[in-house]
Amino acid sequence: MLDEGAVLDTFPDSPVPTTALADLERHDAILTAIPITAEAHGGREVSERVLVQTEAAAIVAVYADDGWTVDHRVTAANRDSGEVFQEAMLRAQGDSSLVESPDDAEAAR
């Protein structure tokens, strides 16, 4: 099992290039490694907010002046990986309207 500290240790002490997330996703222990937000910087795309999912958990990591920290952690124990990913995405987006919460989806029906 790959722990979140080991994942964060692979990131530079700066926003992470989105290409590095794609490389991380090739690791057998990583199910998903995607940017939540990204922007162009110096001719490449970088992200200060990412979602990384393993079999054990999904984490939303954020880069700030003090380095990378885990903003949210969703444990995957006895849960479907798709369900864990969806919950992590909802937490990652926070109050953003980019992802519809399950409660909003039900109310719209």
Side-chain angles (χ1 to χ4, degrees), residues 24-49:
L24 182 62
E25 204 168 53
R26 291 185 189 107
H27 189 284
D28 288 340
I30 305 296
L31 299 177
T32 305
I34 59 171
I36 300 301
T37 58
E39 61 183 47
H41 182 69
R44 64 183 181 168
E45 193 172 75
V46 296
S47 180
E48 294 180 344
R49 190 170 183 82

Side-chain angles (χ1 to χ4, degrees), residues 56-81:
I59 61 168
V60 176
V62 177
Y63 180 77
D65 292 334
D66 56 346
W68 286 96
T69 58
V70 175
D71 196 31
H72 298 287
R73 184 177 202 282
V74 179
T75 302
N78 302 316
R79 296 176 67 191
D80 175 73
S81 64

